[in-house]
Amino acid sequence: MPFIPHTSQDVSSMLASIGVAEIDALFDEIPAHLKSGSLTALGAGLNEMQVARLMRDRAAQDTPLLNFIGAGAYEHHIPAAVWELATRGEFYSAYTPYQAEASQGTLQVLYEYQTMMASLTGMDVSNASLYDGASGLAEAMLMAVRAHKTSRRILVPATVSPFYRSTARSIVKLQDIELVEIPYDRATGTVDMAALAQHAGTDFAALVIPQPNFFGALEDVDALTNWAHANGGLAIALVNPLSLALLKPAGLWGDNPHPNPLPGGEGTNAALRAPVGADIAVGDGQPLGAPLSSGGSYFGFMCCKQALVRQMPGRIIGRTVDLDGKQGFTLTLQAREQHIRRAKATSNICSNQGLMVTAATIFMSLLGQDGLRRVAAASHQNSQRLAALASGIAGVSVLFNTPTFHETVLQLPKPVAEVLANMANAGILGGYDLSADYPELGNALLVCATETKTEEDLQQFVASLQAAIA
Amino acid sequence: MPFIPHTSQDVSSMLASIGVAEIDALFDEIPAHLKSGSLTALGAGLNEMQVARLMRDRAAQDTPLLNFIGAGAYEHHIPAAVWELATRGEFYSAYTPYQAEASQGTLQVLYEYQTMMASLTGMDVSNASLYDGASGLAEAMLMAVRAHKTSRRILVPATVSPFYRSTARSIVKLQDIELVEIPYDRATGTVDMAALAQHAGTDFAALVIPQPNFFGALEDVDALTNWAHANGGLAIALVNPLSLALLKPAGLWGDNPHPNPLPGGEGTNAALRAPVGADIAVGDGQPLGAPLSSGGSYFGFMCCKQALVRQMPGRIIGRTVDLDGKQGFTLTLQAREQHIRRAKATSNICSNQGLMVTAATIFMSLLGQDGLRRVAAASHQNSQRLAALASGIAGVSVLFNTPTFHETVLQLPKPVAEVLANMANAGILGGYDLSADYPELGNALLVCATETKTEEDLQQFVASLQAAIA
Amino acid sequence: MLIFERSHPSRRNAAQAPQAMAAVNIPAALLRKTAPLLPEASEMDVVRHYTNLSQKNFSIDTHFYPLGSCTMKYNPRACNTLAMLPNFLARHPLAPAHTGQGVLACLYDLQEILKEVTGMAGVSLMPMAGAQGEFAGIAMIQAYHASRGDTARTEIIVPDAAHGTNPATAVMCGYKVREIPTNADGDVDLDALRAAVGPQTAGLMLTNPSTLGVFETHIEDIKHIIHDAGGLLYYDGANLNAILGKVKPGDMGFDVIHSNLHKTFATPHGGGGPGAGAVGVAARLLPFLPLPVVAKLPSPTSGRGVGGEGAVEYRYLTEADLPLSIGHLSAFTGNIGVLLRAYIYAKMLGADGMHRVAEFATLNANYLMAELQKVGYRIAFPQRRASHEFIVSCKPLKDATGISAMDVAKRLLDKGYHPPTTYFPMLVPECLLIEPTETESKETLDAFVAAMKEIWDEAHATPDLVKGAPYSQPVRRLDDVKAARELDLTWKA
Amino acid sequence: MLIFERSHPSRRNAAQAPQAMAAVNIPAALLRKTAPLLPEASEMDVVRHYTNLSQKNFSIDTHFYPLGSCTMKYNPRACNTLAMLPNFLARHPLAPAHTGQGVLACLYDLQEILKEVTGMAGVSLMPMAGAQGEFAGIAMIQAYHASRGDTARTEIIVPDAAHGTNPATAVMCGYKVREIPTNADGDVDLDALRAAVGPQTAGLMLTNPSTLGVFETHIEDIKHIIHDAGGLLYYDGANLNAILGKVKPGDMGFDVIHSNLHKTFATPHGGGGPGAGAVGVAARLLPFLPLPVVAKLPSPTSGRGVGGEGAVEYRYLTEADLPLSIGHLSAFTGNIGVLLRAYIYAKMLGADGMHRVAEFATLNANYLMAELQKVGYRIAFPQRRASHEFIVSCKPLKDATGISAMDVAKRLLDKGYHPPTTYFPMLVPECLLIEPTETESKETLDAFVAAMKEIWDEAHATPDLVKGAPYSQPVRRLDDVKAARELDLTWKA
Ligand SMILES: Cc1ncc(COP(=O)(O)O)c(C=O)c1O
Ligand SMILES: Cc1ncc(COP(=O)(O)O)c(C=O)c1O
């Protein structure tokens, strides 16, 4: 029996100890007419050799092409040590670290992770992960509403990923939270400040500020943060964690002291109330060591100002001491969580994305501050070079005149779907077609070139694009 | 600097401690004119991302075809746990277990391995591995010569793998050991007993007995062992370890009491001197968890009768107790080895194939006695079925009329090289062409179908063979 | 030691990043001025640090881990190896469907498998954990009532034994929670339930077997009460391990179920996740399934999809296909890597294996319950069959010796066992919720009983020894109060 | 507990073998009658057993491991991951060359890299460890003399400081061994060497830097003495790490060298192997290289090999190409997996990286030597530069306190360090041969010095404490005498 070690002798002596004649007797409390028949749709079990063959055949049906799609999931080099270590049985097959003494490995990793993420984002604290960036954004919205107390409206620029906007909407709408779309400037591909200004004085809980935004463009985060704070809302930073190796951390955005006293309770004190910065920073940790994997597993991260820590959803690890005064780590602030607070919890989240976070922690440790910066800069440079090469093709131009991180929008002379299909035939995934989400942009293609791309790859992209539009 | 952690500050303070001004001063004992210039033929270093791309490209140039070649290296299913565990850093990056207290993990694995191999082969003891089966056969010959004392001739049937014969010859010829070839019977593909009988009464140290032999055929091991013993030589069993799940273990071959007193010294006592059986059993452990890998790493195993243990080459692990009387494991009988006995050692072997043995031990534990038997039986059945199907093709026949384990020889109506080239174009590795090593057999093809082959695979083989000879 | 303490400024781990720092063409005002606090350590020091840290964990791969409600069964290593085949890892989520026919076929097949074992009409694999599965389920109930214009239903009924995620989920979906008590047998109090239902009832969330480790005997009465009131039935299937192959929630009349694939389908817990909380629905909820769902269609183009005659192509269904869907719950497609692992596991079990899971999980639980009772431990519901798990109450032990459930738990660490779940469910005082799972052998259970017997004896003979436990771990008991009072959540240089 | 003690008759691990037992069509006389002693354990128990066993090892990935002569440097994990790409693992050794152009290209490139760093004219990668590399080298010397009809050369000269494999190898190749003493500076005694050479001299085996951790200063005199006598020079390159990128054995006039890729090229030791002992030769030995050697040739067929213009094809050279070869040393092609790892490592280092290896290995060794001398330890050759390693003699410490080199070694285990090599080379009494390698940081070396200082102090203050060490390991000191006297080499049921 696969994975079941019982011999028939074991079974008899166990049944005798229980005092029943057969295993089926153990199910005698289930109404007989409810018992299942055979699971006809399932075939016979395969042994590992057979399933290995099946999966290798299936994997062979997935055809990896040279990839220039980003749009929220980024191809980066992942050091081999990351997954060789993260899949060690002691990390891989452990549960949530409820028994701290027997889980110091996982707990210390998470504490290190919290330190790294708080520092990357420039925030005071971090939780131990959420499901992904998009659902994390929803959690940030709910948190902002809890913190703000009086408003249930969130301003969301159209430059936020459409995937994130739709996910957040699915989640927050059930609590009657309204998402108000802020349009973008057609020249810059960033938030239209004039349109935003029209919301001054209205009641809103938070403004979401994406950096870089879905077009890869860099927003004027200082102005946006200041605007949110000046108008009585929180600033929710939505950031790519890799970009933060280069970009101003969310905790330092803007320069206006926060206007309305933040809630927070016991832990709040004046010294902790930084005068600047976004209040919450969220995003997807995928660039930190998660393979693309058709979309998951990735992980959501969330950091915030100290004053908001008790409003945060998810697990939080704290450092403390043991009976002998020795340093140790443990789950803390559990009173926020569903298993204690139940209906009054900050969220229903229970399991998070622990193993992805372990991988991310190892990833960041292997890269170090300098390595992460170099990867970010190389990605930036590659996408700049790609844009320059592509706009050398007649009929192709760069759509927005704005600094970008590692993604950019190209305007094509032909419908994008058709161009992409041609490029795919040549072995290239040419980018993400913006025409469904942003029809007003016409034939707009979002392209991304990370540090994984060589000059030859870029040339291959350009040649195939040229051929595809010819 | 890849893998070198020194900062420039570290370097200065270390140089100061040593009392030199620069690193180069540490090389001042090397004659200046011998110092290397730049290593021009080596390019610049690649980072891990670049080398990963290089290796993935290289791997993509290796084209895996549906494989029916055996001939000494066998495709078997390897449970995923085998290499997930064997490549854990604690096994992977440890040295030979010289410091027993800090190496109980590796030492216990090796002790378990010795137990499993001794039991599989039916011998008293096992060493902790040799390089591979072929060089292991050479070591067995040297050991037999040491044990026999008076003769330097070894009888080697032509049914022993030509790869093994040539390797063994390369190694033993330098010690003036003569390998005498024993022909095979053209009808059975096994040792020609009449030809062998002609060596009765001559001086020889050992007879090598392959089971199964290179043709996949099963030798009359009882008769051969009896013959060797009756004629004053040792019997060296050359066995496929997987086949031993089904086949009579070498330790039980034959039934003649050993005629001439075996050497052995202190450890020898009558009770340990089994009246039957091969004296030494060797072979390649590859079927026990080593991937094909273009030929390596595999490992050689060697087992023997207790009386011969002090003649054995290689590491041996023993169980003992510690200061507190607690069970523990340690390298033992080191006085046989080069690091103690130097020029008088039983062999020059130092590093062996430790990690492959760790993998094999895990492999055998996962399969268990029953699993190993089923794998062996399924391999046997598949090759029987393949032979039956193939001999249904006009012009194709099974060459030898002898029981086989999981390999068999087909006679083709056309030159084998041509047939194989055609089959390879259809995605099939059709087997091993015997015509160079055994020209007397004509168009003879050695084919193997292990448990990894499905009925569909077998049909595909047959269809492509049919097409290739059409 | 923290990784930051192994860091040394200006040390560089050169193998993992481009050698040269590329030019950055971004205005200075948008750039960061100080480096983030990431360690500067050598690759070897990082490998050594995390290898050593990993050894400071109990895990299934190293210890018996009978954590109730968590189903810590063996996570087959093949599931990991095969789910990490390079082609699976390399594919971008927005790559066209024809480049992903392999992975999509796996997901489709997994949907079908889950439909079969749960008895539901449709499945979406997208929820990323049990709690998100619950969210999806309750959101579908909400959408269902809304689609019928039935907007007065503002309450979700939850038994008091429910897992904390249930009430928390109901609130996240905008509902009020009404709690129902449990009777002395561990079943839902039917009178209380009858009194609670009404036109305000949107639905009931039921865990079955419940977190008390018993099968809800009045399941059919409950169904009628809720359905008659116009509510829908939500099945928290985190404990599906207890009934897999034995009874199907669909057959019990449930409208929606989530199943924790990281429990019943043996995907790893990873020290906290990722999980997968697939949802299955009865026919009337099909239009509301979360996106995307994988469909198998006749291949529109030759040469793509799985070729040959009757060729098919797999693709995701989107808003266009399911306009009433509750929508997306993640940016892309949930925890695909976890789903692949669950699929591989399901394929290895097959029909026979599925039937056996509940049988042996239940056998192990009942055996352990019987043996611990013989030692002297008080079983919370001795008159009931254990399902996959059961509860020991240490209340009598504590009254007699001062030794609490937590003390027993900590002492188990010294004996080499991960403790059961402690103090959950809250209904039973000083409780230990014990779930051995089907993958543990009788020898392991017997050794665990022996350890529990030792602790029983120690509790009576040398209670202080037990109160001071653990002694064998990297740390002794930690000061949780200090952790929460003097928050130290990040390391400062 | 042994895996056999976790076994239970008739338990079956069903996932790893065909479900049904196939029919066996083999005469009964050839079949085995009793089952072999293999454990019958569940997959989980096996995984748990070996995971727990692994934790009972010191290794580079967990501990500083300054084992002299063994070059325990970091084994980059990428080398493992990339060498285990599925296509590399799947290929049969007898598959045609066109199905292995990728792996063959790697092997060819590695040959070229080794030629460059050793300064030799040709390389064969086939020897499966250092000792087999030595065998290949001495066999080539034998073949060379034989090919010239020079059959009187029956002796190989070996300095007394040599590694045990050197004399053992010479004997395996049919030679007599003549040992030469070492002088007070750790160099070969030139007068003794001059007296030893003659027409019987087939060659000299020299380890340089020697196992004493010093560079042989009279290397050129030695070369002349041997060559003038008609002998050939064998270079034991196990210690190549000390000179990589600094000096090439070929430039020193050596005729043949083996290099331990599992040391200098960072492939893992695997608890004892597999290794790879590639041999390099000067031009006059090229015809004798062991088989196979990889050649790069113009592509004979289009569409195969590495395509495009100037297409090439890689293939193995065989007896037909190299009729004077000493032949095969393994059934197929040596330890290819190890060679791939070495190749990946070499590509990551590149020219610059190679130059740095010896520099930093030497810096670390000399620094550690200086610091340990400051603590009070006696350095064996204080007048010399350390190469990659150096020797501490605990003789004075033992005379003063009774604490031996072995006591120091065992006490280091309690401090979390793998001990240095003990009692080798045999020339130096109570010796510790210490090789830190270039991949360890100054912090680690400093912490090791601090531990050695603690032991120094303990040796003087509480010698019994040191003599009883280790206390922190799974076992205390083992009874080696009992192990050898009462042989227990296999478990009996
Ligand atoms: C009964 C029950 N429901 C729901 C959950 C929540 O599942 P998850 O942690 O995957 O969100 C759990 C997990 O502990 C559970 O035991
Ligand atoms: C100097 C020297 N020569 C030769 C060898 C033998 O190498 P291997 O163990 O790979 O056979 C060693 C290994 O310890 C060594 O240190």
Side-chain angles (χ1 to χ4, degrees), chain D residues 201-221:
Chain D
T201 304
L204 167 83
M205 296 182 84
L206 190 77
T207 306
N208 191 24
S210 73
T211 64
L212 302 170
V214 296
F215 190 89
E216 177 59 59
T217 25
H218 305 297
I219 183 76
E220 303 203 276
D221 297 326

Side-chain angles (χ1 to χ4, degrees), chain A residues 149-305:
Chain A
K149 290 196 166 124
T150 62
S151 172
R152 301 186 84 75
R153 292 172 75 238
I154 308 274
L155 308 184
V156 187
T159 58
V160 168
S161 159
F163 310 124
Y164 280 50
R165 283 182 284 145
S166 92
T167 300
R169 178 167 297 113
S170 313
I171 295 170
V172 306
K173 72 172 179 218
L174 296 182
Q175 291 189 52
D176 285 333
I177 289 168
E178 186 194 351
L179 303 186
V180 182
E181 186 171 305
I182 309 295
Y184 61 94
D185 180 310
R186 289 287 298 279
T188 63
T190 58
V191 174
D192 180 337
M193 294 301 285
L196 179 64
Q198 291 169 14
H199 294 273
T202 68
D203 174 48
F204 68 95
L207 168 67
V208 177
I209 308 174
Q211 185 74 327
N213 69 24
F214 189 64
F215 302 136
L218 297 178
E219 299 278 0
D220 184 350
V221 291
D222 290 330
L224 291 165
T225 306
N226 284 343
W227 185 92
H229 287 167
N231 288 283
L234 280 75
I236 299 175
L238 176 64
V239 287
N240 173 334
L242 180 67
S243 77
L244 291 173
L246 293 177
L247 299 181
K248 194 171 186 177
L252 297 178
W253 292 355
D255 53 13
N256 275 358
H258 205 296
N260 61 341
L262 270 177
E266 330 82 80
T268 320
N269 74 45
L272 294 172
R273 309 275 294 291
V276 293
D279 301 285
I280 306 170
V282 288
D284 201 295
Q286 180 273 329
L288 304 175
L292 289 172
S293 302
S294 284
S297 305
Y298 302 164
F299 69 95
F301 61 87
M302 178 182 275
C303 300
C304 70
K305 297 286 188 193

Side-chain angles (χ1 to χ4, degrees), chain B residues 20 31-32 55 81 111 128 137 144 154 167 191-192 198 207 250 252 277 302 333 374:
Chain B
V20 295
M55 293 308 290
Y111 179 84
L137 176 59
I154 309 273
T167 300
V191 173
D192 180 337
Q198 292 170 15
L207 168 67
L252 297 178
M302 178 182 275
L333 295 182
R374 281 164 197 270

